[in-house]
Structure formats: C-alpha cells, structure tokens
Amino acid sequence: MRSRSLALVVREGKILMIQTYRFNRYIFELPGGGVEAGETPEEAAIRELKEECGLDGKINRPLNITHRKNGDTEYVFLVDVSAEQEPIVGYDPEVPEGEEQAIKNVCWKTFNELSEKDRAFLWSYGLLQVDGFYELALGWGDEISYPTGNK
C-alpha cells in the first residue's frame, strides 16, 4: 500500500496534464505519484510536479483526499505555478533505466479537449472547487446525456 499525491495546476482556464500510455490507450492525467517515506503528501505533489513537468510550484490548498479500498490514500492539491514557467516533458524516476518512459507529453488542456473518462477523474479530484469550473458546470443544460456507448 502506498499513498499518492497529485498536483492540479490551472492557468487561464486550462489544466496542466501529462499524457501517458496506460490501460492500452493514451490518457491525460494529473502530474503525481507515490509519497516517499518521510515525505508529506504536499512535498510529494511538489516533487512529482518538478520531476514530471519541470515546474516549481507552491501548494495553494488541498482539494480532495480519497481513501481507497486497498488502504491507499490519494491526495490532490491545487498548486500555483508562476506564469513565466513553461512545462517540459519530464521523467518518472520509478521507470528502470533503459526502459521507455511512460510520460509522452505535457500540455495545457481545456476541459472540453479531454475525453469523458479523463474528465470523470478530474471531477473526482475536486475540480468543481477550482475557480471557473463550478461556473462551467452551472452553464450546462438539465438534459441527461451519456458518454458514447453507455446508454
């Protein structure tokens, strides 16, 4: 069992995402990873942001804590990054040397540029608490809609 920490960074209505190849498809996810021994969840989120995106950040506030059935805990923090910093494709230090890195891309994405699956995880991470996204949800209609193939 290992706790994880994630960094949610928003700039001009776009979310910082890393693109990885997992579960037999390319997915967009938040920068983050395991909390190391002797490290706080906040320190882990900042370290993972630096490793995976090359950015120095500062915790703004916690957004969500999820306790998984297997005993793991997942922490999500809203993280501020100065406007002059631009992300780069970083690395995952847990990938053994010589093996292909899982991180394929780092980019800013609007909510509407993400798949239904990727969006669902963002809501569970506390996106509704971030300026602009609550208002986005309020602007949706009242009709029931379903992702493709789930009627």
Side-chain angles (χ1 to χ4, degrees):
M1 290 182 275
R2 186 171 183 199
S3 294
R4 292 178 35 84
S5 280
L6 305 171
L8 178 68
V9 181
V10 177
R11 182 183 288 172
E12 298 176 8
K14 294 184 178 183
I15 304 161
L16 179 67
M17 306 293 292
I18 61 171
Q19 186 180 34
T20 60
Y21 188 80
R22 297 189 323 149
F23 313 116
N24 297 316
R25 72 179 188 99
Y26 285 98
I27 62 172
F28 288 98
E29 55 189 336
L30 297 180
V35 178
E36 295 178 355
E39 187 176 51
T40 66
E42 293 87 349
E43 291 168 336
I46 297 301
R47 176 184 49 76
E48 290 286 347
L49 180 64
K50 181 71 170 181
E51 290 172 353
E52 296 179 357
C53 304
L55 297 173
D56 294 309
K58 180 181 174 191
I59 299 292
N60 178 306
R61 68 180 191 269
L63 289 176
N64 191 37
I65 299 173
T66 302
H67 301 283
R68 305 274 179 218
K69 287 193 296 187
N70 65 1
D72 291 351
T73 303
E74 188 170 69
Y75 302 88
V76 183
F77 298 95
L78 183 61
V79 176
D80 294 330
V81 172
S82 63
E84 60 271 357
Q85 292 187 78
E86 287 301 327
I88 60 167
V89 176
Y91 64 96
D92 181 347
E94 294 179 15
V95 173
E97 191 172 330
E99 287 189 23
E100 186 177 356
Q101 282 287 320
I103 300 171
K104 304 299 180 191
N105 192 18
V106 176
C107 55
W108 299 99
K109 291 283 189 182
T110 66
F111 190 72
N112 291 332
E113 293 175 315
L114 298 168
S115 73
E116 291 287 339
K117 285 181 187 177
D118 296 337
R119 291 179 191 186
F121 285 101
L122 288 173
W123 289 128
S124 73
Y125 294 151
L127 188 63
L128 206 57
Q129 301 174 58
V130 177
D131 289 344
F133 293 94
Y134 176 77
E135 294 79 8
L136 174 71
L138 284 179
W140 294 338
D142 293 327
E143 67 278 355
I144 296 173
S145 62
Y146 297 94
T148 305
N150 289 329
K151 293 183 180 181

